[in-house]
Amino acid sequence: QQPQPALLGTPAMRLRGGSGSRSDIEKEKVCVIGSGNWGCAIARVMALNTATLGRFDPTVRMWVYEEEVEGRNLTDIINTDHENPKYLPGITLPPNIVAISDLAAAVADATVLV
């Protein structure tokens, strides 16, 4: 059975059938759909928070419509340079944001969709 995405701000942690201890709780997995200026800005906020909050997987996946910017794929630029020079130039994105151009792969197993 696939987990259902959580509404933002509501807990969707599920017990894995254990004692209910912290180690038995699955971490929330965040995916941001879109990588324009708003998508990158919210992904940055989410990534900074997930990196410090133990109930979240620190990786924030971000779906990116693949396009070329100055001869390079936008996903490659975001994943290596940690910046979106087309839609949010000059703003450093945290390294725990992973740009993915395949929508199904980006949202796979996500419990929080933004």
Side-chain angles (χ1 to χ4, degrees):
Q1 179 180 359
Q2 288 289 335
Q4 296 299 310
L7 296 175
L8 191 60
T10 62
M13 295 186 293
R14 294 161 307 283
L15 297 180
R16 293 186 193 148
S19 64
S21 68
R22 193 78 183 143
S23 62
D24 289 336
I25 298 175
E26 285 186 38
K27 294 186 176 199
E28 301 283 358
K29 295 180 181 179
V30 177
C31 176
V32 175
I33 300 173
S35 61
N37 53 11
W38 186 90
C40 283
I42 197 67
R44 183 177 188 280
V45 170
M46 298 296 285
L48 293 172
N49 283 300
T50 60
T52 61
L53 300 173
R55 71 181 212 178
F56 290 92
D57 181 321
T59 300
V60 171
R61 290 173 287 171
M62 180 171 65
W63 175 71
V64 176
Y65 177 79
E66 192 67 90
E67 56 187 303
E68 283 194 14
V69 177
E70 297 178 7
R72 295 172 62 197
N73 287 339
L74 187 54
T75 53
D76 293 336
I77 295 170
I78 292 170
N79 289 331
T80 58
D81 300 347
H82 306 292
E83 180 184 1
N84 185 334
K86 182 171 182 180
Y87 297 106
L88 202 62
I91 303 298
T92 301
L93 300 174
N96 57 323
I97 293 176
V98 177
I100 302 172
S101 61
D102 181 309
L103 180 59
V107 302
D109 299 323
T111 56
V112 178
L113 297 175
V114 181

